[in-house]
Amino acid sequence: MAAATRASVADQKQAEKLAAQLHAEERAAEVAAMNAQLAETYTEIDGLLAATLAVDDYVDLESLRVASVQHPPFSPGHLATTTPTMDPLVYPPEPVYEEPAAPKGMFASKKKHEDAIARAQAAHQEAVRRWNEHNQALYAGHVAEFERRRVAEQQRLTQLAAAEDRYRQECQAREEEARSRNEAITKFINDLAFDVPSAIEEYVGVVLSNSVYPESFPVAHEHTFDLATRELTMTAMVPEPAEVPVVKEFRYVKSKDEISPAPLPAREQKDRYAGAVWQVAVRTLHEVFEADRAGRIHSISLSVATSRIAPATGLTESIPLVQVAADRNAFTSFDLARVVPKATLEHLGAALSKSPFDLTPADIGPGVRTRKV
């Protein structure tokens, strides 16, 4: 008895130990996945400029046309099934009268034979009466079922016609939408060819909408084009530092059964955020100039900023982190695959925040745009 108890306790301890080991392994795997995701996030932020250099930012507007409209097949479902037709009405055979055979023999009773005939005739008449009633009921049921099926088929045909009409209308709507889209693209292309400012602005908007930034560092753009100077004035809004991950890695503390974050060193946080801001500036200039193959935009005046709630007023304020002007001919001669973004901006005479992470505004006073090289 004691030995069995000890064995049971040992088995329970072994099971608990195994369960604890499995739990620790699960948590370790969870931490590994979180750290892998974190590393991917930082790789994306650190590679904002490199990510766009392998992409041709030019947008072929002709490719936006709808070459042919694809319509889904018409699918009426149960309405495609014809109401079953009825088989011809078949009546049961009419009862046949069979007269009792006449008795034979010298002692046969004529009276009994006559009585048998009377009973047979009466039975036949009753059978015929019931046969007629049955046939009448069959006929009435057949007529009622025929009418029910006729009405059902008429309803089906009506509903099918309505479904076909809706399908035709939907097809027409898709065709009309494609036609309108193609007409709009034709106008867009023509306006762009004639340097209509709104068309140039719209084209830049299309280009920038194709510029995919990581979820951890979203960027929004605003821009206007001045035809007289052929300069595009742009603002790129980046997330404020508090919205950017600041975790170095996640660790599993087995004694507490907790996953805790280890923070990035302050210097690394500042360097990564500033590097991302410089990259956004160079990337934005590159994407617009590269996409503008016709050279309609001669220069770009770009501001990279972030917004925050001002501690003093509680109102949203915009903080400029970069102010730079770039000339098309000079900028497109750079080999961006080998540049240091901050050095590129300094070469362009940009006004740069001394500490973007600390939201120190760039000095955007007069003279910032005197150099467009």
Side-chain angles (χ1 to χ4, degrees):
M1 182 70 176
T5 301
R6 287 194 296 273
S8 176
V9 171
D11 290 344
Q12 182 177 355
K13 289 183 178 180
Q14 182 64 25
E16 291 174 352
K17 181 179 180 181
L18 179 60
Q21 181 180 348
L22 291 174
H23 177 71
E25 291 175 355
E26 290 175 356
R27 297 289 271 173
E30 184 179 354
V31 167
M34 294 171 67
N35 284 332
Q37 179 60 52
L38 191 63
E40 182 180 350
T41 296
Y42 289 149
T43 298
E44 290 176 341
I45 295 175
D46 296 341
L48 291 178
L49 177 58
T52 195
L53 297 181
V55 178
D56 184 358
D57 297 298
Y58 172 73
V59 178
D60 180 7
L61 297 180
E62 290 289 348
S63 69
L64 302 181
R65 293 186 186 276
V66 180
S68 63
V69 180
Q70 301 298 320
H71 299 294
F74 177 60
S75 180
H78 70 280
L79 296 177
T81 304
T82 304
T83 305
T85 57
M86 294 185 63
D87 295 329
L89 179 59
V90 178
Y91 294 109
E94 184 178 356
V96 177
Y97 172 70
E98 294 183 4
E99 188 169 310
K104 298 179 181 180
M106 58 186 309
F107 299 106
S109 173
K110 183 178 179 181
K111 175 63 173 166
K112 289 182 178 180
H113 183 234
E114 291 175 349
D115 289 345
I117 291 174
R119 288 195 297 275
Q121 289 176 343
H124 176 67
Q125 290 175 357
E126 178 62 20
V128 170
R129 185 187 67 77
R130 292 179 178 177
W131 177 76
N132 284 326
E133 288 182 350
H134 178 69
N135 288 347
Q136 290 173 0
L138 283 179
Y139 178 76
H142 185 82
V143 169
E145 178 62 17
F146 178 84
E147 180 62 17
R148 186 193 70 78
R149 296 193 186 192
R150 185 193 68 78
V151 171
E153 177 64 8
Q154 185 58 48
Q155 290 176 342
R156 183 191 74 85
L157 293 175
T158 300
Q159 293 173 359
L160 180 61
E164 290 174 337
D165 186 58
R166 286 194 300 272
Y167 176 73
R168 284 191 294 269
Q169 291 178 9
E170 291 169 357
C171 291
Q172 291 172 359
R174 281 187 287 270
E175 295 284 353
E176 178 60 25
E177 182 180 358
R179 186 188 65 77
S180 297
R181 176 183 174 86
N182 288 341
E183 287 181 353
I185 290 174
T186 297
K187 183 179 184 302
F188 187 9
I189 292 173
N190 290 338
D191 287 350
L192 198 59
F194 285 97
D195 289 347
V196 177
S198 61
I200 295 175
E201 291 175 359
E202 184 177 356
Y203 178 74
V204 172
V206 172
V207 171
L208 295 176
S209 68
N210 288 341
S211 180
V212 180
Y213 281 84
E215 293 182 3
S216 56
F217 205 90
V219 177
H221 297 89
E222 293 181 355
H223 58 277
T224 58
F225 179 70
D226 180 57
L227 184 59
T229 60
R230 290 195 173 272
E231 180 165 277
L232 186 72
T233 301
M234 302 185 67
T235 299
M237 296 299 297
V238 299
E240 62 177 304
E243 298 173 359
V244 179
V246 294
V247 177
K248 179 179 181 179
E249 64 177 353
F250 293 97
R251 298 169 181 169
Y252 174 52
V253 182
K254 188 175 181 180
S255 60
K256 298 181 179 180
D257 191 25
E258 292 179 351
I259 294 176
S260 59
L264 278 171
R267 172 49 55 191
E268 193 170 342
Q269 294 181 36
K270 292 184 177 183
D271 289 348
R272 172 165 284 119
Y273 184 77
V277 171
W278 314 144
Q279 288 185 80
V280 168
V282 176
R283 171 172 169 163
T284 301
L285 296 172
H286 162 73
E287 289 176 337
V288 173
F289 280 138
E290 182 178 68
D292 179 28
R293 288 184 181 176
R296 296 183 175 89
I297 300 170
H298 293 177
S299 62
I300 298 176
S301 175
L302 171 66
S303 173
V304 179
T306 190
S307 62
R308 70 167 182 179
I309 303 299
T313 65
L315 302 177
T316 300
E317 65 175 355
S318 178
I319 300 176
L321 303 176
V322 176
Q323 181 67 50
V324 61
D327 175 77
R328 175 188 185 85
N329 293 332
F331 185 86
T332 54
S333 69
F334 298 165
D335 184 353
L336 298 183
R338 300 194 295 177
V339 303
V340 175
K342 183 179 181 182
T344 301
L345 296 173
E346 290 173 339
H347 177 73
L348 292 171
L352 303 179
S353 165
K354 288 183 171 53
S355 180
F357 188 84
D358 296 319
L359 299 180
T360 303
D363 181 5
I364 56 173
V368 172
R369 298 199 64 267
T370 58
R371 186 183 184 195
K372 294 194 295 182
V373 296

